[in-house]
Amino acid sequence: MTDPTCDIYTSKVKSLKKTSPASLNSNRAIALSRTKSIIASDNKVIKIKIELPKIENKIFSKIKGIPSPFKIETSNETIYDTKLKYEIQSLSSSKSYDKISAIDSSGSVWISNYNNNNNNNNNNDDDDEIVHSYSINYDNNKFTELGWAGSSFNTKDSTIIAKTQFYQKNIQIYKGDQLSQTIQLIQNPTQINYFDHEKSQTSLLAITEFNQLKIFDPRQSSNNCCIQKFTPGTSWLYSMAISSNSEYIAVGGSSRTVSVYDTKRWNNSGNWKNCLKYEITNIEFSNTRPSICYVGGLDSEVLAGEWNGSSGVDHFTGLRVDSKWLGLSKLRDQEYIFGYTGSSSIYYIDNCDKLFQGTLSEKSLHNTSKQEKKQQHQLNNQLKQQQQKDKQEQQQQQQQPNEQVMQESDNSNSNNNNNNNETTIGKARSIEGSPTGDEKHQSKKLKKEE
């Protein structure tokens, strides 16, 4: 029998005592495999290795359907000094996880090769090293204000990387360590992602600028490469996600609404409004259920729901952790989420699609109770109506014989009245037509005339 709930693990990063805050829309966590992941704090990158045991007895909290996190210990932690001057803002990886990049608040990028030996039986961590390849440094002769920065690897060619910085308002595309193209932006960028498109032989770029989502085709000239533009609202966008088949793009931000767009028709496919209590900073799509997404915000909550809004919102069915999220990452083609919090804690959610099961169970129970109440209310109304009908029928049956008696009495009284009238009229006529009266009257007239 399959377990209807997810598995949640938690651990503390021993080599990290304090975490740097970074920007609001920074994401400093990447899941490389089920046992390996990386996080960033200050200008350092930390690779973490863990072993996930089987949880035999799950302890459930107040939230039904979601178990309490099972505490484990990290088996190995490796710190890498990136030599970046400023705080790391974002981490990214290539589609096959063979390359990793870290970008600081000035826009300088640290790029390394990663040799993933998950398929090998060798447990030696030396064969699973992150080896620094090259760096892209920002021009020191130019002044730039420090802020959010992000980078993304080309999905078809991992030697191509695009980077952007909040205050620089441009996109720089590099082939290796050589700048190949620069695209000027109108507003401040907040997220960047390469994605595949069925009608394009090369990867397209998705950028969020202030309250807009823009799609760029790098094959065209820098002035005419913006091919699509969407404006979900009037507030800042902080997060962006692309589905595994690149069919949908989701964005969210300070409006607390997830807006999803179809990359085939280039139109809005759905909106999940007010899904969190605070700003949305992380969005991930489900692989097993394309209509479901996972959202995380400025607080400690992770919630699963349908991005078209049909599942509604229930904040008592999500996962809550010890502090706010500094990064969330989901393995491609797997229902596995890795998270990193401000208290240097890390969380692993296996079978994360079952987070939605808790939502469904709670909502189904709530809906069934509502339906039962409605049915009971309808039955009570029907009983009341039937009782009223029975009373009315009884009253009508009691009134019918009384009415008959009244009618008979009324008819008898009317007949008596008619007879009395006829007798009085007959008497009056007999008095008026009496001959004795007329004779006396006539004799009196004759005597007066004489």
Side-chain angles (χ1 to χ4, degrees):
M1 183 177 179
T2 59
D3 192 351
T5 60
C6 58
D7 296 329
I8 303 174
Y9 304 87
T10 183
S11 179
K12 281 282 186 180
V13 182
K14 300 174 185 177
S15 58
L16 188 63
K17 295 181 180 180
K18 292 183 180 180
T19 57
S20 57
S23 298
L24 182 71
N25 49 333
S26 298
N27 190 3
R28 294 174 291 166
I30 295 179
L32 300 174
S33 65
R34 295 180 62 86
T35 58
K36 300 180 182 68
S37 55
I38 60 172
I39 61 173
S41 181
D42 199 10
N43 63 344
K44 295 179 176 59
V45 171
I46 304 172
K47 185 188 72 174
I48 302 169
K49 183 180 178 182
I50 52 95
E51 296 295 335
L52 300 180
K54 185 178 179 181
I55 305 175
E56 296 181 355
N57 296 321
K58 294 182 180 180
I59 300 173
F60 290 88
S61 60
K62 295 180 181 178
I63 302 173
K64 295 181 179 179
I66 298 179
S68 299
F70 184 78
K71 292 183 179 181
I72 58 175
E73 296 291 334
T74 58
S75 59
N76 188 19
E77 297 179 12
T78 308
I79 300 176
Y80 298 90
D81 190 0
T82 62
K83 302 295 177 64
L84 294 172
K85 291 184 179 180
Y86 304 102
E87 181 187 18
I88 294 175
Q89 295 291 321
S90 300
L91 295 174
S92 63
S93 65
S94 60
K95 191 174 182 179
S96 58
Y97 296 105
D98 61 341
K99 287 185 180 296
I100 298 168
S101 72
I103 185 169
D104 69 358
S105 53
S106 68
S108 299
V109 188
W110 176 81
I111 300 170
S112 296
N113 296 323
Y114 175 67
N115 184 19
N116 193 351
N117 292 315
N118 279 332
N119 296 327
N120 298 336
N121 295 324
N122 188 3
N123 294 324
N124 189 3
D125 290 329
D126 294 336
D127 296 334
D128 192 19
E129 279 289 333
I130 296 175
V131 181
H132 176 239
S133 177
Y134 60 94
S135 298
I136 301 172
N137 296 319
Y138 181 73
D139 190 358
N140 294 327
N141 295 325
K142 295 181 181 179
F143 172 77
T144 182
E145 188 174 354
L146 301 179
W148 174 86
S151 61
S152 178
F153 287 98
N154 191 301
T155 55
K156 296 185 181 296
D157 186 359
S158 61
T159 61
I160 299 174
I161 187 171
K163 74 181 186 72
T164 185
Q165 204 263 1
F166 184 81
Y167 293 105
Q168 294 172 12
K169 294 184 180 180
N170 61 20
I171 304 170
Q172 293 181 339
I173 300 175
Y174 286 82
K175 176 72 173 177
D177 58 353
Q178 299 296 319
L179 179 64
S180 61
Q181 187 178 2
T182 301
I183 302 171
Q184 296 297 327
L185 302 177
I186 299 173
Q187 302 182 82
N188 302 92
T190 56
Q191 287 295 335
I192 182 171
N193 261 320
Y194 268 110
F195 69 98
D196 295 324
H197 194 265
E198 59 177 7
K199 296 181 179 179
S200 177
Q201 296 179 355
T202 60
S203 300
L204 301 180
L205 263 175
I207 305 288
T208 53
E209 297 180 51
F210 179 41
N211 64 336
Q212 294 180 341
L213 169 65
K214 292 183 179 180
I215 309 299
F216 292 91
D217 188 355
R219 296 175 300 174
Q220 302 181 15
S221 63
S222 299
N223 296 328
N224 299 317
C225 60
C226 182
I227 58 175
Q228 293 292 335
K229 182 174 68 174
F230 305 98
T231 307
T234 59
S235 56
W236 284 93
L237 296 175
Y238 296 136
S239 58
M240 176 170 54
I242 298 171
S243 61
S244 58
N245 57 1
S246 300
E247 186 177 353
Y248 298 106
I249 299 177
V251 292
S254 59
S255 64
R256 301 180 294 116
T257 298
V258 176
S259 300
V260 180
Y261 296 92
D262 189 350
T263 59
K264 293 182 180 179
R265 301 180 180 88
W266 295 117
N267 59 3
N268 180 263
S269 297
N271 297 294
W272 188 13
K273 296 182 179 180
N274 301 323
C275 56
L276 291 179
K277 295 181 180 179
Y278 299 95
E279 291 88 339
I280 299 172
T281 57
N282 295 280
I283 305 174
E284 296 288 348
F285 278 100
S286 173
N287 296 321
T288 57
R289 298 181 181 181
S291 63
I292 293 174
C293 68
Y294 312 103
V295 290
L298 284 180
D299 59 351
S300 59
E301 184 179 9
V302 173
L303 194 65
E306 296 184 356
W307 47 259
N308 59 5
S310 61
S311 62
V313 179
D314 189 356
H315 297 290
F316 296 99
T317 57
L319 170 65
R320 295 184 180 276
V321 294
D322 55 0
S323 60
K324 72 172 186 176
W325 293 106
L326 298 181
L328 281 173
S329 175
K330 180 179 172 295
L331 278 178
R332 298 181 182 94
D333 302 327
Q334 292 188 38
E335 297 298 328
Y336 184 87
I337 290 178
F338 167 68
Y340 166 48
T341 68
S343 60
S344 67
S345 297
I346 52 177
Y347 287 83
Y348 301 87
I349 308 173
D350 194 11
N351 299 320
C352 55
D353 56 329
K354 295 179 181 178
L355 284 174
F356 190 63
Q357 293 287 347
T359 306
L360 284 177
S361 61
E362 289 292 321
K363 289 182 70 64
S364 61
L365 289 172
H366 186 62
N367 292 332
T368 52
S369 63
K370 279 187 175 181
Q371 290 177 358
E372 289 176 355
K373 288 180 180 179
K374 285 182 180 179
Q375 291 177 357
Q376 188 66 31
H377 185 65
Q378 290 176 357
L379 289 172
N380 292 332
N381 289 334
Q382 290 177 359
L383 289 172
K384 287 181 181 179
Q385 291 176 359
Q386 188 65 34
Q387 289 176 358
Q388 289 178 357
K389 286 181 181 179
D390 294 339
K391 286 182 180 179
Q392 289 178 358
E393 289 177 357
Q394 289 178 0
Q395 290 177 357
Q396 288 177 359
Q397 290 176 359
Q398 291 176 358
Q399 287 177 358
Q400 283 179 358
N402 294 330
E403 288 178 356
Q404 290 178 359
V405 172
M406 293 292 293
Q407 286 179 358
E408 290 177 355
S409 62
D410 290 339
N411 291 330
S412 61
N413 291 329
S414 62
N415 292 328
N416 293 328
N417 291 329
N418 291 329
N419 294 327
N420 292 330
N421 290 332
E422 288 177 358
T423 52
T424 53
I425 291 168
K427 289 179 180 179
R429 286 179 180 175
S430 62
I431 292 170
E432 289 177 355
S434 60
T436 55
D438 291 339
E439 289 177 356
K440 291 179 179 179
H441 182 67
Q442 289 177 359
S443 62
K444 288 181 179 179
K445 286 182 178 180
L446 289 172
K447 287 180 179 180
K448 287 181 181 180
E449 288 177 356
E450 291 177 355

